[in-house]
Amino acid sequence: MPVTHFATPDPYAYHNGFCCHHESEALQGALPLAQNSPQKPPYGLYAEKLSGTAFTAPRKENQQSWMYRILPSAVHRAWEPVPTQEYDATSLSGADVQQIPNQLRWDPFDFDDAVDWLGGLHLVAEAGDPVMKTGLAIYVFAAGQSMKANEAFYSADGDMLVVLQHGVLDLTTEFGRIALRANEIAVIPRGIRYRVDMPNGSARGYICELYQGHYQLPELGPIGSNGLANVRDFQVPRAFYEEDFNTWTLVSKFNKVLYRTSQDHTPFDVVAWHGTYYPYKYDLGRFNTIGSISYDHPDPSIFTVLTGPSYQEGTAIADFVIFPPRWLVQEDTFRPPWYHRNTMSEFMGLIAGDYDAKAGGPGGFRPAGASLHNIMSGHGPDAVTHRAATCTDLKPQKVGSGSMAFMFESCLMVGVTAWGLQHCQKVQPKYNEESWEPLVSHFDKSNVGAGAANQNGH
Ligand SMILES: [Fe+2]
């Protein structure tokens, strides 16, 4: 039996804070003082560095961590491709993506309790290439089984931002343990080993894997020093380790192909660590939502939780944006999102409740479903929502109670996989037709003061 050690009596203990240096030890004195790689690290541990950026990246971007572990991560046998019959070889490759201008919406994706984390990953959309460290990949996941005993995983392709929609996930990582619960997200940066247990069975959600750079907090500009996702609300696991010399299987996603190796020790043997490169979680309920208190509403970028920047300032490979419960108080304003076409692509999902720009219910935008409005494809509120918004008496109104919608927004044109377009069998065939074709003209050139509300008979 492995011997498990925790930094504190709570196996899920966290450091608070993000974009900053943390240090953690599960055994007092395991963290070397005043140097990173002493001749003899405490307790006979090995020092190992994990680089999240080039050594020479600017200080504000540089992410590196030092780990003090029982055995180095290099101690394993040769990697072999996982036989393709063990998983759907095309499901992760992105080889079958199509870039199409159609607006797409999916019914809720099915649960699949027969599979574990690796079997439950479905690539829906992708742009770019892990080889060149460009772009992103969007997955839905649905699984009900813990990963096999003594099995761990990492992605060499990018940072995985996990949006939990249903169930709970217990993540064991090299840096410690993360209990992912309702309305929370987790980010597992590139290369970090982890395993996923599902103590309550069925779990489902979405993932945005960032092939380029790392997620960071957006600049706040004139908002000031607080607001949106606050630094202190990100939770970073405390050191946790096991003494376990049983045989472990390690699976790597390496340029979208799964490889496997074995080793006679657990990968979760980091007794202490310090640095700026680590996994973390965030409770979306802690988001400080900001909006208009006069007229119109700001761009949805005001709801950005995390951003994965491109090399062009202000332009994201992936923005993670949420639409939390909030008050709308704007006067003389069409309050739902405007009709628009965007140079960015927009993949949306719904964690719970009803999204205020689209009707819910059967055939609508529902929890565990999704939509994609690709580059320059027109979209906006459906006819029902438009009519309600133009006819309503504009009082202060709370929207989104019990709801949490989100968006992965990218400057890149994403392609949709065959799984997303066909195999999942969730694409709504009449999304466009039912959402926008019912919109009619209210144009009346004889009446300059005629707003849509008047023309709707109110
Ligand atoms: Fe949009």
Side-chain angles (χ1 to χ4, degrees):
M1 276 293 288
V3 182
T4 303
H5 301 267
F6 303 114
T8 73
D10 179 359
Y12 293 94
Y14 302 96
H15 299 278
N16 295 324
F18 184 49
C19 300
C20 55
H21 179 272
H22 286 294
E23 55 184 51
S24 197
E25 59 182 19
L27 188 61
Q28 192 169 14
L31 204 58
L33 287 175
Q35 71 177 117
N36 293 319
S37 186
Q39 182 184 23
K40 293 183 179 181
Y43 299 110
L45 295 166
Y46 289 87
E48 180 177 301
K49 189 179 195 184
L50 181 64
S51 296
T53 58
F55 298 139
T56 48
R59 275 184 184 269
K60 66 178 181 174
E61 298 169 14
N62 209 305
Q63 295 187 22
Q64 319 273 336
S65 286
W66 282 95
M67 298 181 283
Y68 302 93
R69 60 193 317 156
I70 295 170
L71 280 170
S73 59
V75 182
H76 62 78
R77 300 177 183 92
W79 293 99
E80 302 282 350
V82 177
T84 52
Q85 61 267 27
E86 291 188 29
Y87 70 104
D88 179 356
T90 62
S91 66
L92 298 177
S93 72
D96 51 7
V97 299
Q98 295 180 56
Q99 291 78 19
I100 53 175
N102 299 69
Q103 300 93 336
L104 294 169
R105 190 161 70 188
W106 288 268
D107 281 329
F109 297 101
D110 289 334
F111 288 112
D112 188 353
D113 290 349
V115 298
D116 67 7
W117 179 252
L118 293 175
L121 293 175
H122 300 286
L123 183 64
V124 176
E126 189 196 35
D129 179 6
V131 173
M132 300 303 292
K133 290 189 174 171
T134 58
L136 77 166
I138 296 170
Y139 308 79
V140 297
F141 69 88
Q145 305 289 318
S146 294
M147 286 173 66
K148 297 185 191 80
N150 294 358
E151 186 175 68
F153 172 68
Y154 77 93
S155 174
D157 296 341
D159 290 17
M160 283 193 163
L161 187 160
V162 180
V163 180
L164 188 61
Q165 186 274 323
H166 178 92
V168 305
L169 301 179
D170 286 351
L171 308 174
T172 302
T173 81
E174 290 177 281
F175 289 77
R177 307 182 85 178
I178 295 175
L180 198 63
R181 298 297 183 256
N183 218 36
E184 292 184 334
I185 62 162
V187 173
I188 314 288
R190 183 196 307 271
I192 292 175
R193 272 92 154 140
Y194 65 99
R195 64 170 279 118
V196 182
D197 287 282
M198 300 190 180
N200 294 0
S202 300
R204 184 172 58 185
Y206 313 80
I207 297 169
C208 186
E209 184 172 25
L210 187 63
Y211 292 159
Q212 173 175 342
H214 300 290
Y215 291 103
Q216 61 188 52
L217 288 165
E219 297 296 338
L220 290 178
I223 292 174
S225 55
N226 301 295
L228 311 188
N230 286 309
V231 166
R232 69 185 291 242
D233 293 323
F234 287 82
Q235 295 181 286
V236 176
R238 290 179 182 268
F240 148 87
Y241 73 98
E242 292 178 330
E243 283 180 85
D244 178 355
F245 299 100
N246 292 305
T247 299
W248 275 72
T249 301
L250 197 55
V251 179
S252 170
K253 187 167 79 71
F254 202 90
N255 191 25
K256 301 182 283 184
V257 175
L258 296 183
Y259 288 82
R260 187 159 60 198
T261 188
S262 65
Q263 60 186 42
D264 295 329
H265 60 106
T266 176
F268 306 118
D269 66 351
V270 178
V271 182
W273 61 266
H274 77 91
T276 52
Y277 193 60
Y278 41 68
Y280 53 90
K281 74 166 183 171
Y282 176 73
D283 177 355
L284 300 177
R286 299 187 185 193
F287 190 78
N288 180 209
T289 311
I290 288 171
S292 171
I293 52 171
S294 57
Y295 64 88
D296 288 355
H297 53 72
D299 293 326
S301 46
I302 198 73
F303 303 134
T304 301
V305 180
L306 290 168
T307 183
S310 72
Y311 297 121
Q312 185 174 356
E313 189 173 355
T315 300
I317 298 296
D319 273 336
F320 174 62
V321 178
I322 61 172
F323 301 90
R326 62 202 183 278
W327 282 92
L328 301 182
V329 299
Q330 309 98 304
E331 295 179 302
D332 189 22
T333 293
F334 182 76
R335 288 177 173 176
W338 354 262
Y339 294 96
H340 64 289
R341 290 175 296 155
N342 193 348
T343 189
M344 311 279 279
S345 58
E346 305 178 13
F347 179 95
M348 284 194 66
L350 187 57
I351 297 171
D354 289 323
Y355 174 54
D356 45 294
K358 290 287 195 308
F365 184 50
R366 296 161 64 192
S371 68
L372 174 64
H373 303 135
N374 223 322
I375 287 174
M376 291 301 174
S377 296
H379 58 284
D382 56 29
V384 172
T385 306
H386 176 269
R387 180 175 172 81
T390 51
C391 294
T392 192
D393 191 13
L394 289 180
K395 294 174 181 164
Q397 178 193 10
K398 184 85 179 276
V399 295
S401 292
S403 173
M404 186 63 74
F406 72 90
M407 176 163 66
F408 300 140
E409 186 178 22
S410 174
C411 65
L412 302 176
M413 180 182 286
V414 298
V416 186
T417 61
W419 188 87
L421 285 173
Q422 288 119 28
H423 303 328
C424 69
Q425 299 184 318
K426 297 298 174 186
V427 172
Q428 297 177 357
K430 296 185 177 177
Y431 170 46
N432 185 317
E433 182 182 324
E434 292 179 350
S435 293
W436 300 298
E437 286 197 15
L439 290 164
V440 297
S441 169
H442 301 295
F443 180 59
D444 180 357
K445 63 183 176 184
S446 69
N447 186 355
V448 68
N454 290 334
Q455 301 206 9
N456 278 322
H458 294 267

